Amino acid sequence: ADATLAGLTTAEASARPDNAEHTIAEIVAHMAFWQQWFLDRCDGLTVPVTWGVVYPAVLLPEEADEWPGERRRLELLHELAHVKRFDALTQLAAQVVLALCWYNPLVWVAVKAMRAESERAGDDDVLRGGAEASTYVQELLTMVRAMRPATPAFASLAMARPTEFEGRMLAILDA
């Protein structure tokens, strides 16, 4: 995979930080990734997010450099799965439908289910990437515990709702 697809130079994408087992270029190659995307850090985030439809970006919290290498790999796999499946576009379409049909409770249920399935599909990609389910769940729990109250609502949608998060953890462990 061409490392410049990640918005990084080849040297940056091929660099292996001390605590990283895999480089960004290796993660991208593993996913058979072909579309352009960008990687950036964002102050104020406590969890990684994917942002954008035409030029998607994976935004990492400022403290991501301090994360263990395995956590960075797992989070990049999950967020890149969203980019690869164009989840931002499908979520945008769902929000447009919701705005037009706000009065229909079935649309609300469908949009909520679609969001949950999007997260589960990202989790499945992480597990297919070779992660142990117990390790992945532990990393997600660590991130949820570290969430600050100031976390933007869009960043915490899939992480903060206790019943959805519990169902997500159970689905990962059952995989």
Side-chain angles (χ1 to χ4, degrees):
D2 184 1
T4 58
L5 289 176
L8 305 171
T9 67
T10 301
E12 289 171 326
S14 300
R16 188 179 311 276
D18 293 339
N19 60 350
E21 196 172 316
H22 302 280
T23 67
I24 293 171
E26 290 168 344
I27 294 169
V28 171
H30 167 77
M31 295 187 71
F33 211 75
W34 58 268
Q35 67 217 78
Q36 183 176 5
W37 62 283
F38 299 94
L39 179 65
D40 204 355
R41 304 248 182 318
C42 185
D43 189 30
L45 289 179
T46 54
V47 295
V49 296
T50 303
W51 187 259
V53 175
V54 178
Y55 299 107
V58 174
L59 304 175
L60 299 175
E62 287 290 336
E63 59 270 7
D65 288 335
E66 300 165 16
W67 290 350
E70 183 64 2
R71 180 182 303 165
R72 269 201 310 272
R73 182 181 83 85
L74 296 174
E75 292 304 324
L76 275 175
L77 282 172
H78 180 89
E79 296 305 322
L80 287 174
H82 288 305
V83 173
K84 187 175 182 179
R85 285 191 322 275
F86 297 96
D87 284 347
L89 180 61
T90 57
Q91 293 295 330
L92 177 63
Q95 291 302 311
V96 168
V97 170
L98 186 59
L100 295 173
C101 302
W102 60 268
Y103 52 86
N104 187 337
L106 293 178
V107 173
W108 287 86
V109 170
V111 168
K112 182 179 177 181
M114 191 172 122
R115 187 180 308 122
E117 284 304 313
S118 170
E119 290 303 316
R120 286 192 181 115
D123 295 337
D124 290 344
D125 281 355
V126 171
L127 296 175
R128 276 193 296 275
E132 284 190 38
S134 59
T135 301
Y136 184 45
V137 165
Q138 184 60 46
E139 293 298 342
L140 289 175
L141 286 170
T142 300
M143 291 184 62
V144 167
R145 285 188 199 119
M147 286 177 71
R148 296 185 292 259
T151 299
F154 72 87
S156 60
L157 280 175
M159 301 285 284
R161 295 185 183 115
T163 55
E164 289 180 26
F165 185 71
E166 181 181 333
R168 189 174 161 195
M169 297 302 99
L170 290 173
I172 292 168
L173 291 171
D174 284 344

